[in-house]
Amino acid sequence: MKTFVVRGSWCLVLILLVVGSPSAQRGTISNKPDTPFRLATFEAAGRTRIGLVLGSRIIDIPGANAALVRDEHLDAVPMPTDMRALIEEYSRVSARLYQIANYFRDAKLDGAPYVFELDKVAIKAPIKYPYNVLAIAANYKLHAGEMFPPGSPQQKAAEGADPDKEDPVFFAKSPRSCIIDPGEPYYIPAGRNIDWEGELAIVIGKPALNVPEARAHDYVFGYSIMYDVSDRGGSGRPLTGMFPGPNWFAGKSRDKCAPFGPVIVPKEFAPNPPHFHIVTKVNGAVKQDGNTSNWIWDEAHMVRYLTSILTLYPGDVISSGTPDGVGAGRKPPEFLKPGDTVTIDIEGIGTLATPMRAAASSGTE
């Protein structure tokens, strides 16, 4: 506040001018979720950063936060620098993220050192690395039907599955060994039959144990895309005869078998319930076209079941199953080969692309 004293023969006038003072400007930027955004981890100018995606641009969150404090006189809010920490602290920092989105929606961004063109940066997997990646098996009736012989007990069980009376089957992928970035190649092991499976990834927002279905959505942070790379068998040594049935570890947990990204959509900007259109293509040809509205076990059932077994933590990922149209279910079966590219499009989230390459005969890639 500035005070001016005007002296005259008749009076002393005090004029208080408050327009333009820092305290008057503070808080004038809306801290409500008025501007939808997506979140990403990216690399630019030699550094890995967390960013807020608005249209064709990505804004370095700590950089934009510092700029608003400096230029718009907002209160300082310490900002995490990696995605898992951002999710853990979202209740504290979300209002500032809303302010960043609302302010920069219409601001001129040219030349700002914390603003980048989305196609000029390297997008990374959103979270490196979650504590847990857990994936559900056969969560669409048509996919379950294509994987089992017609009229078999398994196919009948899929057709009659009751999510309120039966629990799903889940398997785990190792986050550190399996998650790879968007655009990073998957190396096909010699002699193996590798399939495509496009899936919605549900990202957990806070520690969750014994969560009832009615509160499941409260524990969700947002949504992304995961490619459940699946090994359908091939050459190699046989398994021991002690355990009949498929080898889930070999089939679902191979190195680099969980491409993840490119962004996370916070749940406040996503449909609720999370009904998303999923399209998987190989070399541009549509192979899967489904919608998560056709899940057998919906988000609430998945969260309830998993948290009845173990604690889920912020940033953990639930890969929610794949629609029908996988290669193994086709007649004759189709599998990927080096040179192919798998793309998974989920409406409202984006596209995850994974090129196929031939694995070296020995050593690491």
Side-chain angles (χ1 to χ4, degrees):
M1 182 176 67
K2 298 179 181 179
T3 302
F4 294 86
V5 180
V6 181
R7 298 184 183 276
S9 59
W10 297 100
C11 64
L12 175 67
V13 181
L14 299 179
I15 304 174
L16 304 180
L17 298 179
V18 296
V19 177
S21 70
S23 59
Q25 292 181 21
R26 187 173 290 136
T28 58
I29 303 170
S30 171
N31 62 359
K32 305 300 181 183
D34 304 323
T35 303
F37 58 79
R38 298 172 292 162
L39 297 168
T41 297
F42 69 107
E43 189 175 284
R47 289 199 295 117
T48 299
R49 312 160 184 250
I50 51 172
L52 190 150
V53 179
L54 290 176
S56 63
R57 290 175 170 176
I58 186 166
I59 301 169
D60 177 276
I61 290 171
N65 178 45
L68 288 185
V69 171
R70 181 187 66 242
D71 300 335
E72 299 301 318
H73 309 290
L74 298 186
D75 292 329
V77 175
M79 191 64 63
T81 57
D82 73 86
M83 189 68 73
R84 196 172 68 190
L86 186 78
I87 293 170
E88 290 173 346
E89 300 183 49
Y90 198 68
S91 61
R92 179 179 66 82
V93 303
S94 58
R96 177 53 48 86
L97 295 180
Y98 301 153
Q99 288 179 312
I100 291 172
N102 292 331
Y103 181 82
F104 288 102
R105 173 187 56 201
D106 301 318
K108 293 185 180 298
L109 303 178
D110 296 334
Y114 46 85
V115 177
F116 304 86
E117 293 296 326
L118 195 56
D119 60 358
K120 303 297 184 185
V121 303
I123 299 295
K124 302 297 183 180
I127 308 167
K128 280 189 171 176
Y129 292 93
Y131 294 114
N132 295 294
V133 174
L134 301 164
I136 190 171
N139 200 23
Y140 293 74
K141 289 185 179 181
L142 290 178
H143 172 54
E146 72 182 350
M147 298 302 289
F148 302 117
S152 66
Q154 296 94 330
Q155 190 181 72
K156 291 179 180 178
E159 292 170 351
D162 185 341
D164 292 322
K165 296 180 180 179
E166 302 169 297
D167 284 335
V169 170
F170 272 85
F171 53 90
K173 290 176 178 271
S174 167
R176 185 65 182 87
S177 297
C178 296
I179 285 179
I180 60 173
D181 298 325
E184 184 174 343
Y186 177 79
Y187 292 91
I188 298 177
R192 306 304 297 178
N193 297 320
I194 302 301
D195 207 341
W196 53 85
E197 291 198 10
E199 307 197 357
L200 179 73
I202 302 170
V203 180
I204 295 298
K206 54 186 177 181
L209 181 65
N210 295 321
V211 175
E213 289 173 21
R215 295 185 57 207
H217 194 64
D218 295 342
Y219 290 82
V220 171
F221 175 77
Y223 304 94
S224 188
I225 305 172
M226 183 158 281
Y227 174 9
D228 176 17
V229 179
S230 299
D231 184 329
R232 305 298 190 188
S235 59
R237 290 167 53 172
L239 286 175
T240 173
M242 291 188 291
F243 302 99
N247 182 350
W248 288 95
F249 180 65
K252 296 293 190 175
S253 299
R254 285 195 174 273
D255 207 51
K256 302 181 183 293
C257 71
F260 179 32
V263 298
I264 298 173
V265 176
K267 69 179 179 184
E268 59 265 40
F269 305 122
N272 181 24
H275 292 168
F276 288 91
H277 183 206
I278 304 177
V279 176
T280 304
K281 301 176 183 178
V282 178
N283 302 329
V286 174
K287 299 295 185 181
Q288 295 178 283
D289 190 337
N291 195 292
T292 60
S293 62
N294 295 317
W295 282 333
I296 299 173
W297 290 273
D298 63 13
E299 176 183 271
H301 285 86
M302 285 187 273
V303 171
R304 183 213 64 81
Y305 172 70
L306 287 172
T307 64
S308 75
I309 305 296
L310 49 70
T311 300
L312 296 176
Y313 293 93
D316 282 358
V317 176
I318 303 172
S319 202
S320 62
T322 200
D324 63 298
V326 300
R330 294 171 177 268
K331 296 180 175 45
E334 299 176 20
F335 299 111
L336 295 165
K337 61 185 183 301
D340 289 342
T341 297
V342 177
T343 57
I344 303 165
D345 300 289
I346 298 187
E347 186 177 9
I349 300 177
T351 301
L352 174 65
T354 307
M356 299 291 120
R357 301 286 185 267
S361 57
S362 62
T364 59
E365 297 297 335

